[in-house]
Amino acid sequence: MSIVINPETDNTFEDPGKRAPLVLGGLDYGGVTENVASLWEATRPPRAWYITLGISMSFMAILGACILHLFMKGTGIWGNNNPVYWGFPIVNFVFWVGIGHAGTLISAILFLFRQNWRTSINRAAEAMTIFAVICAGTFPGIHIGRVWAFYWLFPVPTEHLAMWPNFRSPLLWDVFAVGTYATVSVLFWYMGMVPDIATFRDRCRTKIGKLVYGILSLGWTGSSRGWHRYEAAYVILAALATPLVLSVHTIVSFDFAVSQVPGWHTTIFPPYFVAGAIFSGFAMVVTLLVPCRQLFGLKNLITIRHLENMNKIIMATGLMVGTAYGIEFFIAWYSGVQTETFAFYNRAFGNFWWAYWIMVSCNVFIPQVFWFKWARTTPWFMVIICIFVNIGMWFERFVICITSLCRDYLPSSWAYFYPTEFDILMLLGSFGLFFTLFTLFCRYLPVIAMAEVKNIIPRGGHGDDHDHHETHGSPAVAGE
Amino acid sequence: MADHNKKKTESDHPVSRLVGLLAQFDDPDSLIHAGTHAREAGYKKMDAFTPFPLHGIDEAIGIRRTWLPFFVLAIGLSACAFGLFLQYYSNAGDWSPIFPGYAFMISGKPLFSLPANIPVAFEITVLSSAFAAFFGMWALNRLPRLANPLHRISRFRRATNDRFFLLLEAGDEKYDSSRSRQQLEEWGATAIEECNEDLTDREFPKVLKMAGLILVFLLMIPPVLIFRASGGTSRAPRLHFMPDMDWQDKYKSQVLAPDFDDSVKHTGLFADGRAMRVPLPGTIALGKLENDTEYHRGFLPPQSSYTGELPVLGEKLAGQFNLQDEKPEGTAEGAAAVQEGAAAPQDPNAPPEPNWVTEFPANVPVSRELVERGRQRFEIYCSACHGYNGNGGGLINQHAMALAVNGQAAWTAAKSLHDPTITVQPVGRIFDTMTNGRNTMGPYKSQIPIADRWAIVLYVKALQETGITPAVIAPVEGAPETTPATKPAE
Amino acid sequence: MHKQRPAIITSPIISLNKAYVRMIPLGLIIGAAGIGASFLFSAGDFSRFSFSWLTSFCALLSMSLGCLFFVIIQHLTRAGWSATVRRIAEIFAMCTLPMFVLFLPILLPVLMGKGWVYEWNVPGWSGEAASPMEKLKEYYLVDWFFAIRIVAVFAIWGAMAWFFLGNSLKQDRTGDPQISKTMQKHSTWIMIVFAATLVFSSFDLEMSLAPLWFSTMFPVYFFAGSFLSGMAVLILASLLLQRSGRITDEITIDNYHDMAKLAFSFVFFWGYIAFSQFMLIWYANLPEETFWYGYRINMDPETGSRGWQMMSLALLFGHLLIPFLGIMARTVRRNKTYLFFASIWLLFFHWIDHLWIIMPESTPEHTFNFSLLIDIPMAIGMIGIYMALFALIAGDRPLIAKCDPRLGEALNLKNH
């Protein structure tokens, strides 16, 4: 499908000698501030915001009620049973933790690769990470049965307990990994927000706003000496967050891979899970940002090029996941281990074949539409694809966890897994929690990292000035 | 701060201080040019203010590289070491005197499993490094600093939006209010303003001080209450926050059943208050029938109604061998009993002697191995009183007799196994002595399995074959001889 | 405001020029000497000689593949910083094709069924296979199918490398920026095919040495070492070419900084992958997987030798811990002398890595089998031949992509 590309509104053209402008609409520094801060300063956010908040809060209430019921009645209300002892809670946990990884990738890894297009999306993506980690952390937090004994998870020396956590267990590594990830993400996110909160502080007209934003911005003045140390800390945190994001989903994959269950114990799990996490995370970022940019008028900052780049990353990581599927299949046969071969056969043709084929079609087949430029650059269409990707990734965790458990070594132990209504309600409720937090974030905190976006505007001060100082590359044919 | 910069008021207390000259620039490049000029003009104490980190400003105004990365590295490496040590301490052994670790042996992995300990050590490293970077950066930037005089300048609000500022501090050597102003205009400033600090800003707000005091006061209440309670007693039951499974609605054995119904006490499941029934009389556990009387009791079947109560046979035998002349004075009641038993004629009402087996029962494999086994078992169970050679030299016997001399214990001296009254006893009799006890010798039925008892009998017989002289039990200080028999060996 | 450096090459001589004529025979002589010495010292043990050959071969092949990956990814991500060093990487990548000839001394004996290297080359290696499914493995690990796969992957690599080198050279002549666009467009599916070839070639070349062992992580492990060594050799070659005066200041200190950053991150990535593979196999403790590591990290129970154990420790420290701490600092990454030694260190330990993978399979008892007289001369010889291949391909072609549309970006790169 050929579209007339208007360079004023569509910056997805490919011209090797030029870098496409990342800020459209001729916005200068002040324009960027206005664009972002105005939505915060508006007296009333758009009606869609209220509707979204209402719906997500009701789902969140469902989650709260289910959790209360769980505390009173115990974990028997779930479908976890013999032989599938790990069911929806861990699947949901891995799903949400995976989604969180995209934010850190955008913030940290793309920063280290000097990808300037990340500046419009990193704030929202980091927020998404934190909210996803909150949703993820809910599940291990509530599933321990005797919830009041949660402190046994931490190495707190106590007289009466005389025992320590088992540091050899991957479930305990999860506690440290997800805890570290949540903390570092919050630190990184907050640190990034301080200059923008300072902007809000300086524009704010209400007394309460000035007080709150004043305290939160720590008195930031934009001092260059301050920026120098700030940038040093930012680079350090980015450099720390990169191995951290790899390690978190690696450790989550260790929950499965250190076992001896066929289908679980395979050494490629760490990078495969990380790739899958980024895959689903980016899909969620796209799903969130397309409505955001539409409703809040951020199209000049979150441009089609940004969306297209994200879709390309979705493609790449999706193919990595597909490659991992292929390698696993091959080795399942090559290894000659009968139970391993059976495990993979069972996934495709056993009693959960329907889950497997949902997973494969959503993860491998459907994202292939992104080979086509139209699909990559049409916002409403990419949201549909990304929702399918997320469905596929949830089913991937479901397939890995549950099919391997429901049919492992001893045929006499085989059984089907039936989720209960609470399993499903909690999954839906977790989406409610996630969207509630994100909706509130959009209203009260800077959605786009204004300072960073201003940094990438060419020094002339105007957004789509083609003479970006880093792309001075007129192809000169030198004599030789 | 140099004194000459303070402005004095009438009351001679300085309330404001000149910070410096703040110049506004409208685009980043002009700020960088101005900064370069300023540095070249010799200004050292100055700073620039921009809405985003401006590349080039560091060189322009001479900002040195921060040492934050080294700090983070140091913290990170220490944290890594700490993480490994924590896991070693808590999972690999219990050597510490306080809060010792607990050595988990899980699936045969080494106690200090380094490969399994890497993930947590890594996470601790990253977390600590992140804290070091985050808090270190704010500390180096001296933030939070909520009372910055620059915020009082309304123009400065655009520093976080779209304007760029340069501050030449009054404390700098080159600073001169009119000349610096002139220079700034030359360098392209679009607006120049003096920045003064209101020194009252530096004071902690009164409201917050009050609130802080009240908060501290409130926070003191719980520790005080706890301290008060810690020394005292209370009749009220403890607060039990986490019931866990401390009160279970189930019946337990050997314990009175819980009160389910407050109106009825200790209902239990059955009328007698128990939740279990005793076995019917005559119930025999599986494998405990023991119907081979020769093997299990040491006598031949016709005496099957025998319940194990025996007369003091030793005394009867003693009568046969004229031992009644001997007065074992070492034992108080025992001596009396012996005397009685020796003196009294055979009591016709005493139950008849069982028909002791004189040969080992068929299922006792008499062999050298059994003798060895018997020896080992004898040395475990019997030698404490009877001594290693069966002559009663065991320590318990010695000590008990010493106590009995002083009247502090009742003790029948352990007979020498070589004593003629013992050597004539058939094997079944010896077996019975061991099983059911005699005088102050307790029954060993529950301690020694049957097969081992027969082995000990065999060993005793073997000992008796050695022909050791029956012992003269060593006299205790002040006590006469207490040997029940002094017959020389044959 | 930085002055923009114009996007033109200012070095007078930007190619090997006449030197390549000397380099080829020099390389071949070193090759003959080294390999000849190795052959002599192996004293007629063709198996041992072949194993040594395979080790050095795999180290160099993986290095070239790392450079090939570098080229593909730079086009795929429209990277500008690497425009000045990409041509060198393209030449290294092109070396994969003639390396097929270097593989013939392994491949031909396999086809002849000599069984010098691969256990499966000997009939009856798998014992009694239990099921028809397992029997299929004997049809997979068999001389003719192996040869087909090897020929196919080398052909594919050659075609890919030539696609990028050829187009880049064409761009030198025509200056057409659309060539970059073509290369970018095709790099997408090329990357997928590259991944597939890497997976199967790593299985064939190294994992099948222990035909009963398997690890899904193995191709990723191979890739990690491969890219790391690719970056190391790229840094080294850039330094050497600059020192020789062929390239003056086109490769700026910021380019080195970026290459060092990539090398550093892949030191960490290699460590992460190696640790994950090891830890998962150690933790689950399944005998069908642990034996491979058992030979490499345990003391040999028969001989009491700790040779492989020491080599594993050397790998841990030399391939991960020391380079990690050593290439962390900014000043290090911007110091050419330091980078020179660092890249040689990394390449040496890359060779040790392949030695550690391959050599324990060289004797049936998996004894420690490292010989200074056989393996070191072999490595030197192989490097000599590789140098000759490089010179052959580089010829008098420009060593920098003169008309790359992103050359300006690379020249003006500023790492803050």
Side-chain angles (χ1 to χ4, degrees):
Chain A
M1 209 193 236
S2 66
I3 305 176
V4 176
I5 296 175
N6 182 354
E8 289 297 309
T9 55
D10 187 342
N11 53 353
T12 59
F13 60 84
E14 293 286 350
D15 187 342
K18 298 187 171 63
R19 292 288 174 195
L22 293 167
V23 176
L24 298 177
L27 292 175
D28 60 356
Y29 303 132
V32 171
T33 314
E34 286 295 334
N35 205 335
V36 177
S38 61
L39 92 91
W40 162 80
E41 285 158 7
T43 42
R44 288 185 79 80
R47 200 164 51 151
W49 185 87
Y50 285 103
I51 297 176
T52 316
L53 187 66
I55 298 177
S56 19
M57 285 191 90
S58 44
F59 275 96
M60 188 171 79
I62 295 177
L63 177 68
C66 287
I67 290 179
L68 216 55
H69 186 72
L70 174 71
F71 287 166
M72 305 306 291
K73 286 288 179 192
T75 56
I77 62 170
W78 285 331
N80 300 22
N81 209 333
N82 181 16
V84 182
Y85 287 108
W86 282 4
F88 271 51
I90 200 169
V91 170
N92 295 340
F93 162 69
V94 179
F95 174 72
W96 282 113
V97 163
I99 284 183
H101 282 53
T104 321
L105 185 123
I106 293 174
S107 296
I109 299 179
L110 291 183
F111 172 79
L112 294 175
F113 282 134
R114 291 193 300 259
Q115 298 294 300
N116 287 336
W117 58 273
R118 63 177 269 284
T119 51
S120 303
I121 56 176
N122 69 337
R123 181 62 43 69
E126 280 166 28
M128 182 204 77
T129 293
I130 291 168
F131 305 144
V133 172
I134 290 175
C135 290
T138 312
F139 288 98
I142 61 177
H143 91 309
I144 51 181
R146 285 185 291 175
V147 185
W148 48 90
F150 74 94
Y151 60 93
W152 291 356
L153 292 170
F154 301 101
V156 177
T158 49
E159 272 294 341
H160 82 276
L161 193 54
M163 280 182 77
W164 297 79
N166 175 15
F167 284 106
R168 281 180 230 137
S169 163
L171 299 178
L172 190 82
W173 302 342
D174 270 344
V175 171
F176 278 83
V178 176
T180 302
Y181 188 49
T183 312
V184 174
S185 297
V186 168
L187 291 179
F188 203 18
W189 182 62
Y190 175 65
M191 190 174 91
M193 275 203 294
V194 165
D196 291 331
I197 295 178
T199 307
F200 277 16
R201 168 199 69 200
D202 289 338
R203 291 171 63 94
C204 193
R205 279 180 270 277
T206 64
K207 237 180 142 49
I208 186 81
K210 278 190 211 175
L211 181 69
V212 172
Y213 288 122
I215 293 177
L216 285 177
S217 62
L218 307 177
W220 180 261
T221 51
S223 142
S224 292
R225 292 175 198 276
W227 275 120
H228 174 81
R229 296 184 193 105
Y230 178 94
E231 288 221 281
Y234 200 96
V235 168
I236 294 173
L237 276 180
L240 284 172
T242 305
L244 177 64
V245 77
L246 288 182
S247 74
V248 171
H249 225 62
T250 296
I251 289 177
V252 169
S253 79
F254 285 161
D255 283 345
F256 301 101
V258 299
S259 73
Q260 296 156 334
V261 177
W264 280 15
H265 178 66
T266 174
T267 42
I268 201 172
F269 259 29
Y272 156 51
F273 263 55
V274 174
I278 297 169
F279 184 44
S280 61
F282 266 85
M284 185 61 92
V285 173
V286 170
T287 311
L288 288 173
L289 286 183
V290 166
C292 266
R293 71 192 280 275
Q294 181 75 34
L295 287 174
F296 301 136
L298 298 170
K299 287 190 189 168
N300 281 328
L301 291 171
I302 305 177
T303 66
I304 303 281
R305 190 172 192 83
H306 292 84
L307 298 174
E308 190 190 10
N309 284 343
M310 286 197 274
N311 290 332
K312 288 185 183 174
I313 293 185
I314 290 175
M315 271 290 281
T317 46
L319 286 167
M320 284 188 219
V321 168
T323 310
Y325 288 163
I327 296 179
E328 277 189 321
F329 248 132
F330 177 76
I331 293 287
W333 161 74
Y334 178 94
S335 65
V337 177
Q338 186 195 18
T339 45
E340 192 78 23
T341 316
F342 173 76
F344 282 87
Y345 172 84
N346 178 52
R347 279 189 189 176
F349 303 110
N351 47 6
F352 279 103
W353 59 272
W354 53 271
Y356 179 81
W357 290 108
I358 293 178
M359 166 184 108
V360 171
S361 38
C362 290
N363 284 349
V364 180
F365 300 137
I366 290 182
Q368 302 305 315
V369 298
F370 282 150
W371 285 105
F372 300 103
K373 186 148 177 134
W374 178 86
R376 291 199 296 272
T377 52
T378 309
W380 64 265
F381 186 73
M382 63 177 83
V383 171
I384 297 175
I385 303 295
C386 288
I387 290 177
F388 274 112
V389 167
N390 270 326
I391 293 174
M393 281 311 294
W394 189 89
F395 271 100
E396 181 192 282
R397 277 54 174 262
F398 179 89
V399 163
I400 290 176
C401 182
I402 284 163
T403 58
S404 281
L405 285 177
C406 80
R407 285 188 177 177
D408 62 4
Y409 289 105
L410 206 56
S412 59
S413 303
W414 291 356
Y416 200 75
F417 168 76
Y418 297 96
T420 62
E421 62 273 24
F422 293 101
D423 282 324
I424 298 173
L425 283 176
M426 279 198 180
L427 173 60
L428 294 175
S430 65
F431 278 95
L433 174 63
F434 178 75
F435 282 104
T436 304
L437 290 170
F438 193 80
T439 317
L440 290 171
F441 158 77
C442 286
R443 176 85 175 89
Y444 295 110
L445 288 171
V447 175
I448 290 187
M450 294 179 280
E452 298 194 43
V453 171
K454 288 174 192 167
N455 203 3
I456 59 149
I457 293 178
R459 284 282 187 89
H462 290 269
D464 38 7
D465 188 346
H466 287 288
D467 276 356
H468 192 281
H469 80 283
E470 279 190 45
T471 60
H472 193 86
S474 46
V477 183
E480 165 77 354
Chain B
M1 298 292 126
D3 276 351
H4 67 269
N5 282 330
K6 290 208 181 84
K7 275 201 187 138
K8 303 266 199 284
T9 63
E10 313 84 41
S11 58
D12 215 37
H13 290 294
V15 292
S16 80
R17 180 181 70 83
L18 175 67
V19 177
L21 274 178
L22 187 69
Q24 176 180 317
F25 298 84
D26 287 349
D27 63 275
D29 292 325
S30 50
L31 172 66
I32 292 187
H33 284 135
T36 315
H37 286 309
R39 186 170 51 82
E40 285 163 1
Y43 287 92
K44 290 212 172 36
K45 291 195 181 148
M46 59 171 163
D47 204 356
F49 299 88
T50 56
F52 55 88
L54 193 55
H55 292 148
I57 195 72
D58 292 358
E59 297 87 35
I61 67 173
I63 299 178
R64 278 205 315 268
R65 296 193 72 84
T66 171
W67 50 267
L68 183 65
F70 295 102
F71 175 63
V72 173
L73 179 68
I75 297 281
L77 290 174
S78 335
C80 185
F82 170 74
L84 289 170
F85 173 70
L86 169 70
Q87 294 175 92
Y88 173 74
Y89 179 93
S90 59
N91 277 173
D94 54 2
W95 45 266
S96 170
I98 49 155
F99 296 131
Y102 190 92
F104 280 110
M105 171 52 72
I106 291 180
S107 51
K109 300 288 193 299
L111 284 178
F112 182 50
S113 334
L114 189 58
N117 290 335
I118 297 285
V120 170
F122 178 80
E123 298 300 333
I124 291 179
T125 306
V126 170
L127 183 65
S128 310
S129 308
F131 277 135
F134 183 81
F135 290 109
M137 185 268 289
W138 293 125
L140 285 172
N141 276 341
R142 296 193 187 82
L143 291 174
R145 185 184 171 196
L146 299 178
N148 196 321
L150 290 167
H151 292 312
R152 295 276 186 204
I153 298 177
S154 54
R155 198 188 294 279
F156 191 70
R157 292 215 190 99
R158 292 187 80 170
T160 54
N161 186 358
D162 58 354
R163 291 288 180 263
F164 306 85
F165 292 85
L166 185 67
L167 175 75
L168 297 177
E169 283 181 38
D172 191 276
E173 299 166 336
K174 294 276 193 257
Y175 183 83
D176 174 78
S177 18
S178 51
R179 207 164 62 80
S180 303
R181 190 180 279 266
Q182 204 183 349
Q183 280 173 315
L184 285 170
E185 274 165 11
E186 276 169 40
W187 298 333
T190 55
I192 304 174
E193 219 176 299
E194 247 185 21
C195 176
N196 289 302
E197 182 179 8
D198 182 351
L199 287 170
T200 57
D201 280 346
R202 291 231 195 131
E203 290 166 11
F204 210 71
K206 282 216 176 51
V207 175
L208 284 180
K209 271 194 211 169
M210 286 302 298
L213 269 167
I214 295 175
L215 186 67
V216 165
F217 184 68
L218 286 173
L219 284 174
M220 293 284 282
I221 296 179
V224 167
L225 287 175
I226 292 173
F227 184 71
R228 267 189 50 198
S230 69
T233 55
S234 166
R235 293 195 67 82
R238 274 183 217 190
L239 296 173
H240 202 95
F241 292 110
M242 293 171 187
D244 282 336
M245 290 163 74
D246 296 334
W247 299 301
Q248 297 180 12
D249 290 347
K250 73 178 188 189
Y251 294 110
K252 296 185 184 171
S253 58
Q254 314 295 335
V255 170
L256 282 175
D259 295 338
F260 295 119
D261 188 344
D262 282 339
S263 61
V264 187
K265 284 286 173 199
H266 302 307
T267 47
L269 204 49
F270 298 105
D272 57 2
R274 289 189 174 120
M276 296 168 56
R277 298 284 83 206
V278 292
L280 295 172
T283 302
I284 300 179
L286 266 178
K288 293 282 191 252
L289 185 54
E290 296 185 355
N291 53 359
D292 182 353
T293 38
E294 282 180 33
Y295 182 65
H296 288 113
R297 289 186 198 91
F299 50 78
L300 295 170
Q303 304 287 336
S304 58
S305 60
Y306 175 65
T307 56
E309 301 286 317
L310 277 186
V312 184
L313 191 59
E315 290 66 36
K316 290 171 81 177
L317 291 174
Q320 290 175 2
F321 286 94
N322 294 317
L323 297 176
Q324 59 212 26
D325 296 331
E326 307 296 324
K327 287 189 182 95
E329 287 166 352
T331 62
E333 292 100 35
V338 167
Q339 299 237 294
E340 278 172 18
Q346 295 257 351
D347 182 359
N349 290 330
E353 278 284 315
N355 199 353
W356 303 113
V357 292
T358 50
E359 303 286 330
F360 284 93
N363 40 1
V364 175
V366 176
S367 64
R368 191 167 181 88
E369 285 84 15
L370 196 68
V371 175
E372 257 315 299
R373 175 73 179 174
R375 181 181 70 83
Q376 193 213 38
R377 295 287 115 180
F378 179 89
E379 285 175 4
I380 292 172
Y381 293 107
C382 316
S383 63
C385 290
H386 290 282
Y388 281 101
N389 57 7
N391 253 336
L395 279 176
I396 292 182
N397 197 29
Q398 301 281 332
H399 288 153
M401 291 203 324
L403 288 173
V405 164
N406 301 325
Q408 287 170 291
W411 185 252
T412 308
K415 275 212 158 108
S416 166
L417 296 176
H418 305 281
D419 189 292
T421 58
I422 308 296
T423 54
V424 300
Q425 288 179 0
V427 291
R429 177 68 164 72
I430 299 179
F431 179 82
D432 183 78
T433 307
M434 214 185 302
T435 303
N436 296 307
R438 197 77 66 216
N439 299 327
T440 39
M441 172 173 162
Y444 281 81
K445 184 179 192 171
S446 55
Q447 283 168 270
I448 312 179
I450 287 183
D452 283 338
R453 277 182 250 153
W454 283 111
I456 294 175
V457 169
L458 180 60
Y459 181 68
V460 166
K461 282 297 180 196
L463 262 184
Q464 291 172 341
E465 289 294 312
T466 58
I468 294 175
T469 310
V472 175
I473 295 173
V476 180
E477 276 177 10
E481 285 182 21
T482 57
T483 323
T486 48
K487 198 154 186 200
E490 247 93 48
Chain C
M1 186 67 180
H2 329 281
K3 247 198 197 67
Q4 288 299 305
R5 182 175 163 169
I8 48 173
I9 309 292
T10 50
S11 304
I13 309 170
I14 200 73
S15 67
L16 290 177
N17 223 3
K18 298 289 173 277
Y20 86 93
V21 178
R22 288 198 308 274
M23 273 176 73
I24 298 178
L26 179 66
L28 289 174
I29 291 172
I30 297 177
I35 295 174
S38 177
F39 187 77
L40 267 173
F41 285 116
S42 60
D45 185 351
F46 290 118
S47 173
R48 179 67 177 86
F49 177 74
S50 301
F51 267 95
S52 191
W53 182 289
L54 185 67
T55 307
S56 297
F57 176 81
C58 284
L60 287 170
L61 177 69
S62 59
M63 187 182 83
S64 315
L65 289 173
C67 290
L68 177 57
F69 176 81
F70 178 79
V71 172
I72 304 175
I73 195 91
Q74 298 300 303
H75 280 292
L76 185 59
T77 56
R78 292 171 291 175
W81 68 270
S82 56
T84 42
V85 299
R86 209 186 56 241
R87 172 63 52 77
I88 304 174
E90 285 164 2
I91 298 173
F92 275 118
M94 196 69 232
C95 290
T96 49
L97 187 58
M99 284 193 86
F100 177 72
V101 175
L102 274 180
F103 192 63
L104 288 175
I106 305 275
L107 185 59
L108 291 174
V110 165
L111 282 171
M112 292 193 286
K114 294 277 188 189
W116 286 338
V117 178
Y118 292 103
E119 223 181 277
W120 46 261
N121 204 207
V122 176
W125 62 274
S126 71
E128 296 297 306
S131 70
M133 275 289 260
E134 285 165 324
K135 266 236 176 290
L136 281 177
K137 193 167 174 180
E138 287 182 15
Y139 289 120
Y140 184 80
L141 290 179
V142 76
D143 50 6
W144 55 268
F145 197 5
F146 176 80
I148 291 177
R149 292 196 299 271
I150 294 291
V151 168
V153 295
F154 272 97
I156 293 172
W157 290 333
M160 284 181 195
W162 178 247
F163 174 74
F164 289 106
L165 179 62
N167 271 311
S168 188
L169 288 170
K170 193 162 100 169
Q171 197 177 49
D172 277 356
R173 293 191 300 275
T174 65
D176 179 11
Q178 296 306 314
I179 295 178
S180 291
K181 200 165 164 182
T182 315
M183 288 197 278
Q184 181 201 327
K185 210 162 71 110
H186 289 287
S187 60
T188 47
W189 63 266
I190 288 180
M191 182 59 99
I192 300 171
V193 175
F194 176 79
T197 58
L198 198 68
V199 167
F200 286 102
S201 60
S202 68
F203 285 158
D204 283 335
L205 288 171
E206 292 187 332
M207 201 173 85
S208 68
L209 286 168
L212 296 175
W213 188 70
F214 54 93
S215 164
T216 42
M217 183 73 109
F218 197 81
V220 188
Y221 180 72
F222 185 89
F223 162 71
S226 155
F227 189 75
L228 174 59
S229 57
M231 291 315 300
V233 82
L234 200 55
I235 295 175
L236 184 63
S238 307
L239 285 167
L240 288 173
L241 288 168
Q242 247 181 345
R243 207 180 273 200
S244 72
R246 301 278 177 242
I247 303 172
T248 49
D249 60 350
E250 277 82 9
I251 302 181
T252 63
I253 195 67
D254 291 288
N255 292 139
Y256 283 109
H257 190 174
D258 276 356
M259 287 194 283
K261 279 197 244 180
L262 266 181
F264 173 77
S265 38
F266 269 81
V267 165
F268 173 80
F269 184 73
W270 178 91
Y272 153 64
I273 297 292
F275 169 73
S276 298
Q277 185 176 246
F278 169 67
M279 198 276 288
L280 289 174
I281 290 180
W282 172 87
Y283 202 107
N285 215 5
L286 294 172
E288 61 258 30
E289 291 179 352
T290 52
F291 70 89
W292 193 87
Y293 275 102
Y295 302 139
R296 286 159 180 77
I297 62 170
N298 289 335
M299 186 182 80
D300 189 335
E302 311 263 314
T303 62
S305 156
R306 291 187 184 274
W308 289 127
Q309 201 178 54
M310 290 295 118
M311 188 150 282
S312 302
L313 278 175
L315 206 56
L316 169 67
F317 280 90
H319 206 299
L320 174 63
L321 294 175
I322 296 176
F324 183 77
L325 290 171
I327 316 181
M328 202 190 274
R330 186 178 190 272
T331 37
V332 160
R333 293 171 183 178
R334 293 173 81 90
N335 181 325
K336 289 189 184 172
T337 319
Y338 201 94
L339 286 178
F340 179 74
F341 287 111
S343 52
I344 293 180
W345 176 287
L346 287 172
L347 285 168
F348 173 71
F349 276 97
H350 175 71
W351 179 73
I352 294 278
D353 187 19
H354 283 272
L355 195 123
W356 179 86
I357 296 173
I358 294 173
M359 276 307 184
E361 311 298 334
S362 60
T363 56
E365 304 84 24
H366 306 275
T367 49
F368 184 62
N369 208 354
F370 172 64
S371 161
L372 283 173
L373 293 172
I374 303 179
D375 295 308
I376 305 271
M378 172 66 79
I380 295 175
M382 282 284 201
I383 291 174
I385 299 188
Y386 195 85
M387 236 172 55
L389 288 177
F390 181 90
L392 181 66
I393 294 171
D396 56 358
R397 298 176 167 132
L399 292 167
I400 295 188
K402 292 189 299 192
C403 300
D404 191 301
R406 301 182 186 120
L407 193 60
E409 266 187 56
L411 291 170
N412 285 301
L413 179 69
K414 276 279 175 289
N415 253 317
H416 298 277

